[in-house]
């Protein structure tokens, strides 16, 4: 078995809709998925009441695309050969392929996704979990089943690539949970002072005698 039975359902699910059971609650967006039930996405309150003891993955959003934290998904999936990104200090992978302009690769691009052709930051094969799934179906030369030694080597390679790219403009995106706030609160910059330097007291010229 190269693919767990719940993965295809996860990738085809629609997230960040309003939960029909908790329409009036403040945290009612469906951004969670149960690996046991393998049904539709659900909200925070559904997890507490209906999936309390089940393995659940929380989906987040970056630039209107669904992502999942590496620290969370690598416990249940071998995500090796999939490009990871650091967004708001959290390392994530995209669930599915992202639309991009058609045309030749940009100048200096040396790594491309084998399925959709998206440019990659590091020498990985796929840009997302969905593209890796498509690659497995086509070639059968990859797997989502965890191999501890292989996965650790891949994570080490990823960490090295991230260290080289810290501060890179290419990764300055926002990671959200479907709400206006970022997952990590940002400290606002101090307000700029509008005070002007006070001039000296003017002296009147002496009267002539």
């Amino acid at each position: 078995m190269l693919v767990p039975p719940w993965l295809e359902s996860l990738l085809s699910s629609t997230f960040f809709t309003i939960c029909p059971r908790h329409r009036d609650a403040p945290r009612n967006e469906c951004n969670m998925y149960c690996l046991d039930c393998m049904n539709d996405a659900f909200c925070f309150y559904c997890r507490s009441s209906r999936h309390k003891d089940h393995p659940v993955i929380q989906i987040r959003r970056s630039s209107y695309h669904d992502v999942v934290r590496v620290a969370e998904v690598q416990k249940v999936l071998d995500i090796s050969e999939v490009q990871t990104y650091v967004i708001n200090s959290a390392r994530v992978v995209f669930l599915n392929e992202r639309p991009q302009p058609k045309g030749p690769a940009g100048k200096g691009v040396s790594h491309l996704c084998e399925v959709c052709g998206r440019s990659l930051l590091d020498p990985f094969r796929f840009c997302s979990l969905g593209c890796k799934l498509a690659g497995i179906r086509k070639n059968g030369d990859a797997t989502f089943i965890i191999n501890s030694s292989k996965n650790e080597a891949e994570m080490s390679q990823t960490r090295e690539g991230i260290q080289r790219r810290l501060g890179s403009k290419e990764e300055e995106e926002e990671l959200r949970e479907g709400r206006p706030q970022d997952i990590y609160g940002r400290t606002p910059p101090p307000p700029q002072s509008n005070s002007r330097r006070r001039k000296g007291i003017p002296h009147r010229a002496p009267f002539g005698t």
Side-chain angles (χ1 to χ4, degrees):
M1 185 176 66
L2 302 177
V3 180
W6 49 264
L7 181 60
E8 185 173 358
S9 176
L10 168 70
L11 298 180
S12 61
S13 295
T14 301
F15 296 97
F16 299 103
T17 58
I18 301 302
C19 178
R21 297 183 181 87
H22 304 98
R23 291 185 179 276
D24 299 326
R27 301 178 62 181
N28 60 0
E29 289 186 321
C30 296
N31 64 345
M32 299 187 182
Y33 184 85
C34 180
L35 307 187
D36 280 353
C37 300
M38 296 187 290
N39 292 326
D40 296 332
F42 52 89
C43 75
F44 168 82
Y45 303 100
C46 291
R47 178 179 186 177
S48 301
S49 61
R50 306 175 63 199
H51 305 275
K52 184 177 180 180
D53 299 319
H54 296 178
V56 170
I57 288 181
Q58 182 173 357
I59 306 303
R60 292 172 169 82
R61 181 156 286 185
S62 173
S63 301
Y64 303 100
H65 297 289
D66 296 334
V67 302
V68 62
R69 286 182 179 176
V70 168
E72 189 172 351
V73 73
Q74 69 181 0
K75 299 175 183 178
V76 293
L77 283 181
D78 179 354
I79 60 171
S80 61
E81 302 179 302
V82 179
Q83 175 73 65
T84 64
Y85 300 84
V86 176
I87 303 175
N88 286 11
S89 302
R91 188 149 50 98
V92 303
V93 291
F94 284 88
L95 294 193
N96 290 296
E97 171 188 347
R98 290 165 287 160
Q100 61 179 336
K102 300 298 181 181
K107 187 176 182 180
V109 174
S110 56
H111 310 300
L112 299 174
C113 175
E114 293 182 6
V115 173
C116 71
R118 171 173 284 276
S119 60
L120 305 177
L121 303 177
D122 298 302
F124 291 101
R125 297 178 58 190
F126 310 106
C127 71
S128 63
L129 301 181
C131 281
K132 181 172 180 177
L133 177 61
I136 291 174
R137 287 174 173 171
K138 181 179 180 180
N139 302 315
D141 59 349
T143 182
F144 278 112
I145 305 305
I146 294 177
N147 180 316
S148 58
S149 58
K150 177 183 177 182
N151 202 44
E152 177 58 31
E154 182 69 23
M155 289 302 101
S156 177
Q157 178 188 2
T158 301
R159 285 192 293 269
E160 292 175 1
I162 290 171
Q163 289 298 324
R164 292 194 304 267
R165 300 194 310 272
L166 283 178
S168 170
K169 295 292 183 182
E170 297 177 70
E171 299 186 40
E172 290 183 0
E173 300 180 43
E174 292 182 346
L175 180 61
R176 304 178 184 274
E177 296 184 31
R179 294 176 292 167
Q181 300 89 350
D182 292 341
I183 60 171
Y184 296 105
R186 295 181 177 179
T187 303
Q192 295 182 354
S193 175
N194 292 325
S195 60
R196 297 180 179 178
R197 186 174 181 180
R198 188 172 182 180
K199 298 181 179 180
I201 300 174
H203 294 278
R204 183 177 298 175
F207 293 104
T209 56

